[in-house]
Amino acid sequence: MSTRYLESLFNPSSIVVIGASERADNLGGMVLRNLLGGGYPGQLLVVNQSGYDNVHGVHCVPRVSKMEFTPELAIICTPPDTVPKLVKKLGELGVRTAIVMTGGMSRTHSKTGQPLMYSVREAARETGLRVLGPNTIGLMVPARSLNATYAHMGAIPGRVAFIGQSGTIASSVLDWAFARGVGFSYFLTLGDGMDIDHDDLIDYLAQDPQTRAILLHIENVPNPRRFISAVRVASRTKPVIAVKSGRVPESEWIPHALPAGLKRSDPIYDAMLRRAGVLRVDGLGQMFDALETLTRMRPLRRESLAIMANGVGPGVLAVDRLADLGGELAKLSEQTVESLAKLLPPYWTRKNPIDLNYDASPELYANAIKILAKDPEVANVLVMYAPSLTEDSLRIADAVVQASKGTRLNVFTCWLGQSTVMDSREEFYRAGIPSFFNPEKAVMAFMQHVRHQRVQRLLTETPESFTDHFADRVRPRRLVANALRSGRSYLSNREAREVVRDYGINTIDTLYCDDVEEVLEVFAVERRPVDISIIHEQVCHPFLDLSPSQRRYKGTVKKLNSEAAIIDGCRFLMDEYQEHFPDSGFIGFAVQYSYQHVGGVEFSVGITRDEQFGPLVVCGASGAQINVMTDRQIALPPLNMVLARELLRRTYMYKLLKEHSLKPEEDIRAVAETLVTLSQIVIDIPRIKGLEISPLLFNEKGAVAVNVAIDLDEKPSKPIIQPYPRELEEWIVLPKSGRRVIIRPVLAEDEPTHRAFHEHQSPESIRYRFFQYRKHFSREDVAQMVQIDYDREMVFIANAPKEDGEGEETLGTVRTWTDADNLRCEFAVMVDDKMKGEGLGLALMRKMIDYCRSRGTVEMVGNVLPDNRPMLRLAEQLGFEIKYNPDEEVMDLRLVLNEPEKDWQKERLRRGGAHL
């Protein structure tokens, strides 16, 4: 994952189109016509072996080896079997980027039997060429007059970027956007995405000042870890709106292997996008409606909505839609009601929605808005108008625009109709006020704004790697290791209970018996009614997916209060087991006393594992009478209490818990704590493949696990979101001042101190760090510095209590970016001017070197200005190799952290890492 050479893709000074001719249906010819028609200002060349002198007036040569210059971008439109060799040759000639428009490469195979698109990827990796495609529509950068596509029309310049996966969808988006007046900063599709992928492009766009919002059309995500890492950075500074197609198995282009306990992959994508701060919408229409509100409305101070219209009907439609989407009507204050009463007929409803009456004048609309602006409970107002004979639509629109100016309200409008209200909609567009054709679309767009702010709040949550410092982590790890060593892929029921109990989850007291005689002995001790479950190998696995005949299987008998009843019950259980699970090894019986004072709403909570997305936390209903699969909700670990509550709130059982629990808040907290604990278990013991507690009930101590099942996998799996690594924190004492300083990974909440740190450094220190003078750091700049993923990027900061006041200050920072193959990391370090001579830079660099070495990174590199003598002395002290780079006019620093073990690593390093 890298933005390497993407500037050559998006702003090439020269382009070669390979395979273009003047035939009307020739793909390369279409691309060349679009380049010429769009006014591309750079140098153009055509390669076609047919011997043309020129194509559409552009000079043509027969082979790429005959090119008079090395273009920055090559566009390949040749038959599939020619593409891999072309990619390799172009890379060897020094071409930096290529767009492969040729289709069918996923279905055309090479001599090795693999699809040709993989041969393209291998050729690109060997030579360092960056490739967009194959099977892409190409790209447009309207502000640079670049239309390198075969699309039927161009895009108008704007500040929205679109990244798609389907060329036909992209064509319809172009049409749709043009009709709505939406312009693009960048417009492209990935096609097969063999090299350049979503994450590379999103990284680039996150840093692009000309892009205010990013639109995504997603069919699949090959590398979720890299994707979510990039999107989480981008969505912190600009809206990211996504359409995910393939929501059901029948519409998935690439089938997704489902994890245990799930029937569809779509909820996994939903959980990922939610955690990444992305607003997910259901279609292209909703995408543009959401774009309208997110880019034109202020951030929401409240999530409730006030509605006004010149009639009852539009208001009722809006309220119905608001209720369907889980929205909330704003409650008008008594003062607001009285003020409106002076303007409205005596029979008005005195509540929200506000009926202004059929003959509402421009003055009435304006006055109503001004009254609502004074109500502290009102922050968002939907203003609606239906055409009437008594008033002019445009005059009312102008009154709404003028009244909205200078207020703290988020005002958006719905002018119903078509032929007589278009001028009014244009007036709202010019004023920057979102406007919609009907109440349903207006309310949907508002609720998308609400949802976006909710997922943005989730984005700021940074769960720690250790949540319960008192949990016994040693014994559960030993149990898992022993089971795997013995060849088992599961824990016994007894072992599974021990694991969750060691992490602080209460369990039902359970005794285990090998046969009926032992069960009778247990009963004889207290002669209390007992519940008996039969244990066999298959039921030790979580999320047991029973066949239709097995669903009638009964594995537990309850409230047995005599020897005869116990003997009959055990015989019944053995018959059931032998009928439904004849191939599952018998283990024994689990005995629980019947009345252990547990009850309440039954939850099923646990962990499952997806091949691509890693471990997932699940929560939902339990019990034979409930559609368990329908209610099962998903979240990505790690979790904290905020994220766990958000997961719980999405379940139907949460509503039942609030309605029927005697202690709803305590029970909600207990379930949330259990979810956080499960998240911690799978982080601590990554060889746990699945874990299910079903049911999870309640007693006076909180949540209680009645039954637990755990299965295992030799291959460990890590979450795609890394937790905050608290174990990397350490305290040091500065030798000269004696100040105690904590060196730790950066957190999102460090933004204010991080910004202050950069803004009060000397101009020379800023130049040494950023290679230019900078006086100002925007919120977006600093957000990207402090909101990291602890995976491909790591930042350690040195913080200490302020000497002259309350709070902390940042005294230094070191940062590394690591390539996708963990081969090379690039560092940057900066220390407060007043800390010179304290050895803080040395401490920060040693901390980062030790960290990168421990994670297996092979090399650390950096660039330093030749006159930055303090940094060069520090690098020499740390053992860096230092060389002058005359091309960049900087000093190149290199430190070997680990010896390369594999041939490809040695080859990449031998080539100087030019294509890392």
Side-chain angles (χ1 to χ4, degrees):
M1 177 172 56
S2 171
T3 58
R4 175 179 50 86
Y5 295 160
L6 290 191
E7 188 63 24
S8 296
L9 177 72
F10 289 125
N11 192 19
S13 60
S14 53
I15 299 175
V16 60
V17 183
I18 304 172
S21 75
E22 294 190 5
R23 287 200 333 268
D25 61 348
N26 176 264
L27 179 61
M30 297 178 201
V31 176
L32 186 59
R33 288 198 300 271
N34 275 342
L35 283 167
L36 295 169
Y40 171 66
Q43 200 171 2
L44 283 173
L45 181 67
V46 172
V47 173
N48 191 312
Q49 62 183 7
S50 298
Y52 302 120
D53 291 330
N54 64 75
V55 176
H56 293 304
V58 177
H59 179 58
C60 179
V61 296
R63 293 183 298 278
V64 294
S65 59
K66 298 293 184 180
M67 296 188 299
E68 297 99 343
F69 60 90
T70 301
E72 278 198 271
L73 171 63
I75 300 174
I76 301 174
C77 307
T78 60
D81 57 342
T82 66
V83 175
K85 289 182 181 178
L86 271 173
V87 168
K88 184 175 182 180
K89 184 65 176 177
L90 290 166
E92 291 171 346
L93 291 172
V95 178
R96 291 185 167 185
T97 54
I99 300 174
V100 179
M101 293 189 173
T102 306
M105 300 192 70
S106 62
R107 298 182 294 275
T108 308
H109 293 74
S110 66
K111 293 177 181 177
T112 63
Q114 68 174 356
L116 274 174
M117 62 184 185
Y118 295 110
S119 301
V120 171
R121 181 169 65 187
E122 289 167 7
R125 286 180 174 175
E126 285 177 15
T127 60
L129 182 75
R130 299 306 308 272
V131 173
L132 178 66
N135 197 28
T136 171
I137 196 175
L139 71 88
M140 297 185 197
V141 187
R144 296 171 184 161
S145 302
L146 176 62
N147 181 358
T149 73
Y150 57 82
H152 67 295
M153 63 186 298
I156 58 177
R159 306 195 68 180
V160 178
F162 175 82
I163 304 172
Q165 284 191 266
S166 162
T168 49
I169 293 292
S171 295
S172 63
V173 168
L174 271 178
D175 238 297
W176 203 313
F178 186 84
R180 290 179 170 222
V182 175
F184 293 97
S185 55
Y186 302 89
F187 187 95
L188 71 158
T189 66
L190 295 170
D192 295 324
M194 284 294 97
D195 174 36
I196 295 172
D197 209 343
H198 280 109
D199 41 85
D200 305 308
L201 299 169
I202 292 167
D203 270 336
Y204 181 90
L205 296 172
Q207 302 168 45
D208 179 55
Q210 302 308 313
T211 299
R212 286 185 57 198
I214 301 172
L215 307 182
L216 302 176
H217 168 236
I218 301 169
E219 291 178 348
N220 62 83
V221 176
N223 193 319
R225 184 185 300 276
R226 286 165 39 180
F227 176 84
I228 198 169
S229 175
V231 175
R232 281 168 66 85
V233 172
S235 62
R236 286 176 171 119
T237 58
K238 53 192 72 175
V240 180
I241 305 169
V243 171
K244 166 65 175 72
S245 54
R247 300 172 70 100
V248 295
E250 292 80 4
S251 64
E252 285 182 340
W253 181 251
I254 300 175
H256 189 105
L258 293 171
L262 297 182
K263 295 297 185 186
R264 295 188 301 130
S265 64
D266 192 65
I268 305 175
Y269 282 92
D270 206 46
M272 177 187 67
L273 295 172
R274 183 184 295 108
R275 191 71 180 272
V278 175
L279 174 63
R280 181 180 181 180
V281 294
D282 288 339
L284 300 180
Q286 286 190 17
M287 175 182 278
F288 285 108
D289 288 343
L291 179 67
E292 180 92 352
T293 54
L294 292 181
T295 56
R296 290 173 174 261
M297 288 175 68
R298 304 185 189 100
L300 304 180
R301 293 183 295 108
R302 294 178 177 274
E303 295 185 354
S304 57
L305 179 64
I307 300 168
M308 67 166 69
N310 62 336
V312 174
V316 170
L317 288 174
V319 172
D320 283 345
R321 188 63 173 142
L322 188 67
D324 289 342
L325 297 172
E328 179 187 357
L329 274 174
K331 183 173 175 57
L332 306 180
S333 69
E334 191 58 39
Q335 184 176 350
T336 297
V337 171
E338 293 303 325
S339 298
L340 289 171
K342 296 175 183 178
L343 305 176
L344 298 174
Y347 51 80
W348 85 288
T349 59
R350 300 179 67 86
K351 65 179 183 180
N352 186 16
I354 304 163
D355 175 14
L356 300 178
N357 215 21
Y358 178 76
D359 58 354
S361 65
E363 293 75 21
L364 178 56
Y365 269 91
N367 288 331
I369 290 172
K370 291 174 183 176
I371 291 170
L372 291 176
K374 296 176 183 177
D375 192 330
E377 298 297 315
V378 177
N380 313 293
V381 182
L382 169 58
V383 182
M384 294 192 288
Y385 170 80
S388 73
L389 279 172
T390 59
E391 295 296 340
D392 179 72
S393 160
L394 187 56
R395 287 186 61 232
I396 292 179
D398 185 61
V400 170
V401 169
Q402 297 305 318
S404 303
K405 290 179 179 177
T407 72
R408 54 183 181 71
L409 296 175
N410 260 322
V411 174
F412 60 110
T413 67
C414 171
W415 254 228
L416 288 86
Q418 186 76 30
S419 58
T420 64
V421 297
M422 294 305 293
D423 289 345
S424 301
R425 291 206 187 105
E426 187 63 30
E427 175 80 5
F428 290 129
Y429 179 80
R430 287 194 296 268
I433 295 176
S435 188
F436 301 91
F437 282 77
N438 57 60
E440 294 83 2
K441 288 176 77 69
V443 171
M444 170 60 83
F446 169 73
M447 287 305 297
Q448 285 167 342
H449 202 338
V450 171
R451 285 171 45 220
H452 182 255
Q453 289 207 173
R454 289 175 180 172
V455 297
Q456 285 287 298
R457 287 195 289 270
L458 298 182
L459 182 64
T460 62
E461 297 297 325
T462 311
E464 298 179 11
S465 52
F466 295 133
T467 52
D468 182 359
H469 297 274
F470 300 101
D472 182 353
R473 291 174 166 77
V474 176
R475 190 164 66 157
R477 286 174 175 151
R478 190 183 302 125
L479 283 171
V480 169
N482 290 340
L484 288 169
R485 240 188 328 265
S486 69
R488 277 191 287 133
S489 63
Y490 63 90
L491 294 184
S492 69
N493 191 274
R494 184 201 302 264
E495 292 167 332
R497 288 176 188 278
E498 288 178 12
V499 168
V500 299
R501 193 162 52 236
D502 286 341
Y503 273 84
I505 297 175
N506 299 320
T507 60
I508 290 285
D509 292 336
T510 305
L511 300 168
Y512 293 91
C513 304
D514 293 332
D515 50 35
V516 178
E517 287 70 22
E518 288 190 17
V519 176
L520 291 170
E521 289 174 11
V522 168
F523 173 73
V525 174
E526 297 191 27
R527 302 196 66 81
R528 290 165 50 194
V530 293
D531 301 339
I532 304 173
S533 300
I534 190 166
I535 308 295
H536 55 87
E537 290 178 357
Q538 199 161 340
V539 297
C540 290
H541 291 269
F543 309 109
L544 193 59
D545 189 12
L546 301 177
S547 67
S549 63
Q550 288 173 327
R551 286 178 193 139
R552 295 190 295 271
Y553 164 74
K554 188 172 182 181
T556 302
V557 288
K558 296 185 176 183
K559 299 177 184 177
L560 307 180
N561 57 6
S562 69
E563 286 85 349
I566 289 171
I567 293 170
D568 289 343
C570 289
R571 186 181 299 118
F572 170 79
L573 292 175
M574 288 298 293
D575 291 343
E576 285 281 294
Y577 149 67
Q578 289 168 355
E579 178 185 348
H580 295 290
F581 299 98
D583 300 323
S584 180
F586 174 75
I587 296 174
F589 296 99
V591 182
Q592 298 170 341
Y593 289 109
S594 298
Y595 301 101
Q596 296 195 35
H597 305 290
V598 294
V601 176
E602 294 188 12
F603 280 88
S604 168
V605 297
I607 299 289
T608 189
R609 181 193 292 187
D610 183 84
E611 290 180 5
Q612 287 181 272
F613 291 83
L616 307 168
V617 182
V618 298
C619 178
S622 177
Q625 306 301 317
I626 301 289
N627 188 339
V628 172
M629 301 304 291
T630 301
D631 193 42
R632 187 162 283 158
Q633 300 295 317
I634 300 171
L636 301 179
L639 300 182
N640 58 17
M641 287 297 287
V642 173
L643 296 168
R645 283 177 178 270
E646 188 276 333
L647 169 59
L648 178 58
R649 269 194 292 268
R650 285 188 270 125
T651 68
Y652 174 70
M653 302 308 286
Y654 172 78
K655 300 179 180 66
L656 294 183
L657 191 63
K658 290 197 74 173
E659 292 173 5
H660 299 293
S661 172
L662 297 176
K663 301 177 293 182
E665 288 306 316
E666 291 180 28
D667 288 349
I668 288 168
R669 179 175 181 81
V671 178
E673 287 175 343
T674 304
L675 293 171
V676 173
T677 302
L678 294 177
S679 165
Q680 187 62 55
I681 289 173
V682 79
I683 291 170
D684 289 346
I685 315 174
R687 285 181 170 81
I688 287 181
K689 182 181 180 182
L691 186 160
E692 183 183 21
I693 298 174
S694 182
L696 183 76
L697 294 173
F698 304 90
N699 65 12
E700 70 281 355
K701 295 179 182 179
V704 182
V706 176
N707 192 35
V708 187
I710 295 176
D711 62 1
L712 312 172
D713 193 330
E714 282 281 4
K715 184 180 177 182
S717 179
K718 293 183 178 180
I720 62 172
I721 300 175
Q722 294 299 308
Y724 171 75
R726 185 170 290 279
E727 63 274 16
L728 296 176
E729 295 181 351
E730 68 170 298
W731 287 89
I732 64 170
V733 177
L734 299 181
K736 291 176 65 176
S737 62
R739 294 182 71 179
R740 290 188 77 239
V741 174
I742 185 171
I743 298 179
R744 61 169 175 80
V746 74
L747 285 162
E749 49 262 39
D750 291 316
E751 183 180 322
T753 57
H754 213 70
R755 184 171 183 174
F757 166 73
H758 282 84
E759 291 188 340
H760 80 248
Q761 302 309 310
S762 67
E764 200 68 0
S765 294
I766 294 295
R767 185 177 71 87
Y768 283 156
R769 167 62 180 85
F770 296 99
F771 289 31
Q772 62 180 337
Y773 292 109
R774 294 183 64 176
K775 292 183 178 180
H776 176 70
F777 291 85
S778 68
R779 177 189 169 275
E780 289 77 12
D781 293 332
V782 182
Q784 289 187 19
M785 293 179 189
V786 301
Q787 298 178 2
I788 65 170
D789 63 356
Y790 310 114
D791 182 23
R792 62 186 180 131
E793 188 175 5
M794 177 55 78
V795 179
F796 290 120
I797 61 171
N799 273 24
K802 289 182 178 178
E803 293 182 303
D804 55 354
E806 295 182 358
E808 282 190 343
E809 61 179 336
T810 297
L811 303 177
T813 175
V814 62
R815 175 184 306 268
T816 54
W817 301 264
T818 306
D819 66 64
D821 295 312
N822 197 28
L823 188 64
R824 173 170 290 179
C825 66
E826 183 176 353
F827 81 90
V829 63
M830 187 175 181
V831 175
D832 195 306
D833 292 333
K834 64 187 178 185
M835 289 291 108
K836 299 297 189 282
E838 289 277 16
L840 189 55
L842 180 63
L844 285 167
M845 283 298 297
R846 282 178 172 165
K847 176 82 171 176
M848 187 60 81
I849 289 169
D850 289 345
Y851 167 76
C852 293
R853 183 174 282 132
S854 70
R855 71 191 301 267
T857 309
V858 177
E859 282 189 355
M860 178 179 284
V861 299
N863 300 124
V864 176
L865 293 174
D867 61 337
N868 188 353
R869 301 197 181 282
M871 184 63 230
L872 292 172
R873 285 196 298 270
L874 176 60
E876 189 174 355
Q877 184 179 354
L878 290 165
F880 278 86
E881 175 188 316
I882 304 173
K883 288 183 179 180
Y884 179 66
N885 182 337
D887 295 332
E888 302 291 339
E889 297 182 345
V890 296
M891 307 301 290
D892 286 343
L893 275 56
R894 174 178 174 270
L895 179 67
V896 176
L897 303 176
N898 294 285
E899 288 299 321
E901 297 177 354
K902 299 178 181 177
D903 290 341
W904 69 266
Q905 292 177 322
K906 296 173 184 177
E907 176 64 17
R908 292 267 291 272
L909 292 171
R910 186 186 65 78
R911 296 169 68 96
H915 58 287
L916 293 178

